[in-house]
Amino acid sequence: MNTPSSPTTIELPIEGMTCAACAARIEKNLNKLPGVHAAVNFANEKALIKFDHDSTHPEELVQSIEKAGFQVPEQTVQLQISGMTCAACANRIETVLNEIPGVRAILNPAAEIAYISFNPAITSVEQLVSAVEKAGYGANQISDDNYVKEQSRNQAAYRKELHIFWISAALTVPFMLEMIMMLTGNHNNLLPYWLQWLLATLIQFWPGRRFYISAWRTLRGGGANMDVLIALGTSMAYLFSTAVIILQLDQHVYFEASAMIITLVLLGKLMETRAKRKTSAAIETLIKLQPKTARVERDGEIIEIDINSLKNEDIFLVRSGESLPADGIVIEGSSSINEAMLTGESQPVTKQVGAKVYAATQNQHGLLKCRVTGVGKNTQLAAIIRLVEIAQGSKAPIQRMADTVSGIFVPIVIGISILTLGLTWWLTGHFVIALINAVAVLVIACPCALGLATPTAIMVGTGRGAQEGILVKNATALELAEKIQMLVVDKTGTLTEGHPSVTDIIVADEVNEHDLLQIAASLEQGSEHPLAKAVSQYASSSKIRLLAITNFTSVTGSGIKADIDNASYILGSPKFLAEKGAVLDQQRITALQTEGKTVVGVAIQINESVRVIGYLAIADSLRETSIKAIQRIQDMGIEVMMLTGDNPTTAAAIAKEAGIKIFHAEVSPQNKAAEIGKIKADGQFVGMVGDGINDAPALAAANVSFAIGAGSDIAIEAADITLMRNDLMSVADAISLSRSTLHKIRQNLFFAFFYNILGIPLAAAGMLSPVIAGAAMAMSSVSVITNSLLLKRWRAGV
């Protein structure tokens, strides 16, 4: 008789609900399933579902929600992994997690963090943690609440490891003294065999206990790691030496080898842990920047509250020298704020009433009163931290080869060690020599350096980038940026300041400037295009009243048409007006365009006749750094192309001033992506820089894309690399950072492969003692991490 299973309760997030009716429809669909009782909460956009596994599978719950027209979004979680000792551990954990249905996991061995995406209907965080534990390791979920607690736990674990190392070192000192005496020519045993055995036993099963525990857990989970090699190698030396004493064989004992290997490996792991901490120093610095308390205005009084109690629309005050507790808008006062931690720009930014301010930036002088617009996870600082964490948790394509080698490394090394033992014994006839060589092979081989080569460099590189206002979406983008052959740049807001202004007003005989500007501004009202804003701002400063418009139609990137007081007007580029049948003053237009100005024409349409009533010339000056940035990018061996919707004459003038030789004018927003497609079809690796909504398709089409930070959210979302500074020089910095990071990765991979390719044969040939092999193995990972840390010397603008 089958016992009925107890009901399972899960809570699923739901995307796409717009009203209570949506929640009711989802709830109704779910409750139609056998054994299901569901309650959908529209307020928190979640469904609480109790169901019987025997009657309904979790996948059916998701399918029911999707059939109703909604989505169950993937959840993400970060797990802090403990018990890892090498890259083989990382590969093992990654494999175990990815075998769970609906789970995508990437493990960063440098940070010892697993970044996991999973379907909450099928898998829970508890199941993920359980899977890691079954593989022989520990796992704890990382959240904002327990981040500090996790850091404290790691520090306590480090202190414990340090204590164990000093015990091992103290017990190893007599062996070191004996080895020093032997090097001076005194080959008499200073330590009697029984004392050597006692000291070696203490080391083997006290400090060395961690290797046995880790090796057993890993083998039980179906894997093999570095600890398996250390446990095997030291056990062979220790057990052989113990057998010599017990059986009173006429052989030398090798207790010093097993003892010193354990001590040296422990030292190496401590140095590795300290070095690893430095790779994530950038993100820890960002986290520590936000103050713990805020001074807020409540019921007319100023009180100090915990930062976690701050809410949107709260009013907070910031005095001179204090850091801002949240994102907000200035409602009273003026000051200068240091935003270097966001943008990398050392010059303070002036803030007046209406200006945006950001959490963790520092008020330089004066008192500011601000209204909260973002707290906690919704601040600019939190967004930067998330981006950096995601980038540091991603894998670069260059890492695939190292991962493949690390995954099969330990079994291959054990095979080589057995082969060394057999061949050397057969060729020399000396079992002891064969055993020592086999131990040396086991000890010198280490996949750690291979596994750490890429992630440590990525962590330091992305961290340095964040400090300079360069936010990399993932490791792939950082790797690909160095390959750029052609950089495509938008004009407005990228090369130029993005703040165009009206410079010339040319009117027909029967129209005055006031009327022309009133008509133009009325037609442009509501448009977000930079040129439209320029006309509107000019009209506003001239105190011109806008008129009501009807029958509005727009042609993106060309012009608009609308009625004002029963008269039809057209506003747009000279080309657009010409297409409508207007006769243009081409000489005057060309003269203005040659000066780098954009010309907008205004015409009135009477029946089928279109007559121009005036022109507006609008100029947008180049950024101060654009010319230097273009020169620097070209000096890096990268061609620069400008794409713009402007006419050829204006485009040529801007391109010449910026030092750009290749440009395409009158390119509509929808055709920018097509232009990039053509360049890619010619075999060139393309980068794209943009800042507006119109640039999003082109950014997505490029091999690597850069969004200027002041641009639209859509552009930033589409881009691979976000630049917090409104400065083209940041693009050159991002490419420079990419090249420096990839240079370090290649160096690291070379060191790691060279170390193993050279070390294993030397050990097998008997040219390295186990002790020297242990020291070399312990330092291999440290050397790779130290090399990655040299990336901290990278500087922007160099």
Side-chain angles (χ1 to χ4, degrees):
M1 181 176 176
N2 293 328
T3 305
S5 60
S6 58
T8 302
T9 302
I10 60 172
E11 189 175 59
L12 296 183
I14 298 175
E15 276 185 353
M17 289 194 295
T18 57
C19 63
C22 298
R25 187 161 79 251
I26 296 168
E27 197 172 282
K28 184 179 178 182
N29 281 13
L30 286 170
N31 286 321
K32 286 180 181 177
L33 297 172
V36 173
H37 178 73
V40 179
N41 188 326
F42 172 61
N44 65 10
E45 298 184 324
K46 290 182 179 178
L48 186 66
I49 307 170
K50 185 181 287 187
F51 67 102
D52 184 356
H53 263 285
D54 293 337
S55 305
T56 301
H57 294 289
E59 292 89 341
E60 293 177 89
L61 300 175
V62 176
Q63 289 168 6
S64 173
I65 294 168
E66 289 176 347
K67 282 179 182 177
F70 304 92
Q71 296 291 323
V72 176
E74 275 193 338
Q75 300 290 286
T76 59
V77 68
Q78 295 179 22
L79 297 183
Q80 183 73 56
I81 307 298
S82 58
M84 283 194 348
T85 56
C86 66
C89 299
N91 288 329
R92 174 64 186 158
I93 295 167
E94 213 172 79
T95 301
V96 166
L97 288 171
N98 284 316
E99 285 174 350
I100 301 172
V103 170
R104 288 182 291 110
I106 294 176
L107 199 143
N108 185 334
E112 297 185 347
I113 294 175
Y115 301 84
I116 307 168
S117 298
F118 64 97
N119 186 328
I122 304 171
T123 309
S124 65
V125 175
E126 290 74 17
Q127 287 174 293
L128 298 172
V129 170
S130 176
V132 174
E133 290 174 345
K134 283 180 182 176
Y137 306 90
N140 288 300
Q141 183 179 355
I142 300 175
S143 66
D144 292 344
D145 298 332
N146 69 5
Y147 181 83
V148 174
K149 191 185 295 183
E150 194 61 39
Q151 291 295 100
S152 300
R153 191 188 67 80
N154 289 338
Q155 288 173 3
Y158 177 79
R159 287 193 295 269
K160 183 180 178 182
E161 291 295 325
L162 184 63
H163 180 68
I164 293 293
F165 162 73
W166 284 120
I167 292 172
S168 184
L171 294 171
T172 306
V173 167
F175 290 113
M176 290 180 64
L177 293 174
E178 182 166 86
M179 288 182 69
I180 292 170
M181 293 299 295
M182 290 178 68
L183 290 173
T184 60
N186 185 350
H187 294 284
N188 295 322
N189 287 328
L190 296 179
L191 300 174
Y193 278 178
W194 68 267
L195 181 57
Q196 289 190 43
W197 175 83
L198 178 62
L199 291 172
T201 301
L202 289 172
I203 295 169
Q204 192 76 27
F205 301 108
W206 187 0
R209 178 171 173 265
R210 65 177 294 248
F211 298 112
Y212 289 106
I213 293 171
S214 175
W216 166 245
R217 285 176 177 169
T218 306
L219 291 170
R220 187 183 61 188
N225 63 0
M226 185 197 79
D227 289 335
V228 173
L229 300 180
I230 300 301
L232 274 174
T234 57
S235 295
M236 286 166 67
Y238 171 80
L239 292 173
F240 172 79
S241 301
T242 301
V244 168
I245 294 175
I246 293 173
L247 301 177
Q248 297 183 351
L249 302 175
D250 186 20
Q251 297 287 346
H252 181 68
V253 293
Y254 293 93
F255 288 122
E256 77 281 357
S258 61
M260 292 193 69
I261 287 168
I262 288 172
T263 302
L264 286 169
V265 172
L266 290 175
L267 174 62
K269 296 307 291 182
L270 282 171
M271 293 174 69
E272 182 183 318
T273 301
R274 286 193 65 181
K276 277 187 195 174
R277 282 184 185 174
K278 294 178 183 178
T279 63
S280 58
I283 198 166
E284 288 179 11
T285 301
L286 288 173
I287 290 169
K288 291 175 183 176
L289 283 172
Q290 193 156 357
K292 304 297 181 188
T293 60
R295 299 173 68 245
V296 299
E297 191 177 86
R298 294 270 173 89
D299 300 324
E301 293 185 12
I302 305 300
I303 60 172
E304 191 164 318
I305 64 171
D306 186 270
I307 193 76
N308 296 317
S309 301
L310 208 56
K311 300 181 182 68
N312 278 346
E313 302 301 318
D314 273 346
I315 305 299
F316 67 89
L317 283 82
V318 187
R319 294 174 295 195
S320 176
E322 291 182 339
S323 294
L324 277 75
D327 287 2
I329 295 176
V330 178
I331 59 173
E332 190 178 307
S334 64
S335 182
S336 293
I337 290 184
N338 185 344
E339 296 183 345
M341 46 72 61
L342 287 180
T343 65
E345 179 56 63
S346 58
Q347 293 297 320
V349 181
T350 302
K351 300 290 182 179
Q352 305 283 353
V353 173
K356 290 182 180 180
V357 291
Y358 302 100
T361 56
Q362 190 175 50
N363 185 18
Q364 298 287 286
H365 60 79
L367 180 70
L368 288 178
K369 184 182 285 188
C370 310
R371 186 176 72 252
V372 174
T373 59
V375 295
K377 294 180 180 179
N378 298 316
T379 62
Q380 185 80 56
L381 174 66
I384 289 174
I385 292 171
R386 279 195 300 272
L387 272 173
V388 176
E389 285 178 338
I390 290 168
Q392 292 185 343
S394 60
K395 285 192 178 183
I398 197 172
Q399 193 175 343
R400 289 173 189 156
M401 175 178 61
D403 283 349
T404 302
V405 174
S406 298
I408 58 173
F409 191 86
V410 173
I412 289 175
V413 169
I414 292 174
I416 293 173
S417 177
I418 293 170
L419 189 63
T420 299
L421 178 67
L423 279 175
T424 307
W425 191 5
W426 178 58
L427 292 172
T428 64
H430 294 286
F431 174 76
V432 174
I433 295 174
L435 179 68
I436 296 305
N437 292 357
V439 170
V441 168
L442 286 172
V443 171
I444 199 168
C446 177
C448 295
L450 278 175
L452 293 170
T454 300
T456 52
I458 293 293
M459 287 182 74
V460 179
T462 53
R464 277 296 296 132
Q467 290 172 332
E468 294 292 343
I470 301 166
L471 304 181
V472 183
K473 187 174 285 186
N474 51 51
T476 301
L478 191 63
E479 177 176 339
L480 296 180
E482 71 148 6
K483 299 179 181 179
I484 293 174
Q485 298 166 298
M486 173 73 77
L487 184 70
V488 177
V489 297
D490 178 48
K491 179 178 77 70
T492 305
T494 303
L495 281 174
T496 64
E497 292 285 355
H499 304 297
S501 57
V502 176
T503 59
D504 301 87
I505 301 175
I506 300 98
V507 297
D509 293 338
E510 70 276 15
V511 181
N512 59 41
E513 284 192 10
H514 176 279
D515 291 345
L516 177 66
L517 197 55
Q518 186 177 45
I519 292 167
S522 299
L523 293 170
E524 295 276 32
Q525 64 184 298
S527 173
E528 291 297 314
H529 194 282
L531 298 184
K533 286 184 177 180
V535 174
S536 298
Q537 287 169 1
Y538 191 84
S540 176
S541 65
S542 303
K543 303 291 191 292
I544 290 176
R545 181 176 60 86
L546 300 183
L547 304 172
I549 61 173
T550 56
N551 299 323
F552 179 88
T553 57
S554 171
V555 178
T556 305
S558 296
I560 55 180
K561 183 179 179 181
D563 294 344
I564 301 175
D565 294 334
N566 299 318
S568 294
Y569 291 94
I570 301 172
L571 180 148
S573 65
K575 181 181 178 182
F576 181 67
L577 294 184
E579 290 172 353
K580 298 298 181 182
V583 178
L584 306 173
D585 185 348
Q586 196 60 55
Q587 185 176 356
R588 181 166 289 186
I589 291 170
T590 303
L592 292 168
Q593 290 175 342
T594 304
E595 295 173 14
K597 298 173 181 177
T598 301
V599 178
V600 174
V602 182
I604 186 170
Q605 183 174 10
I606 302 172
N607 296 324
E608 297 301 320
S609 173
V610 177
R611 178 169 53 84
V612 176
I613 61 173
Y615 303 97
L616 301 176
I618 302 169
D620 187 7
S621 58
L622 280 178
R623 296 185 189 277
E624 289 183 10
T625 55
S626 287
I627 297 172
K628 288 183 179 178
I630 294 297
Q631 183 61 54
R632 183 181 167 201
I633 291 166
Q634 290 171 338
D635 289 344
M636 295 169 84
I638 299 169
E639 287 187 286
V640 180
M641 174 191 288
M642 182 181 77
L643 293 183
T644 178
D646 252 332
N647 64 85
T649 307
T650 302
I654 295 292
K656 184 178 180 182
E657 187 181 354
I660 297 173
K661 295 170 186 163
I662 309 169
F663 67 91
H664 291 292
E666 296 182 337
V667 181
S668 64
Q670 55 268 34
N671 287 335
K672 285 183 180 180
E675 287 291 337
I676 287 176
K678 290 177 187 176
I679 302 168
K680 289 168 69 175
D682 290 337
Q684 287 190 293
F685 204 86
V686 186
M688 168 71 190
V689 191
D691 79 322
I693 294 174
N694 291 339
D695 298 323
L699 290 170
N703 296 111
V704 184
S705 51
F706 305 83
I708 298 290
S712 73
D713 291 340
I714 295 174
I716 293 171
E717 184 65 28
D720 298 307
I721 299 173
T722 298
L723 309 171
M724 299 301 292
R725 288 206 298 269
N726 296 328
D727 187 347
L728 199 59
M729 193 67 81
S730 289
V731 178
D733 290 336
I735 296 170
S736 168
L737 177 64
S738 169
R739 292 182 175 184
S740 297
T741 304
L742 266 293
H743 181 63
K744 283 297 172 194
I745 289 173
R746 292 187 184 104
Q747 284 181 343
N748 288 346
L749 289 173
F750 172 79
F751 290 154
F753 277 110
F754 181 78
Y755 161 81
N756 282 298
I757 289 170
L758 181 66
I760 292 175
L762 287 177
M767 299 174 71
L768 287 177
S769 73
V771 173
I772 299 299
M777 187 278 291
M779 296 309 297
S780 63
S781 298
V782 177
S783 64
V784 163
I785 299 172
T786 304
N787 189 48
S788 293
L789 287 171
L790 293 177
L791 264 176
K792 287 190 172 185
R793 297 180 180 178
W794 177 86
R795 292 290 178 269
V798 179

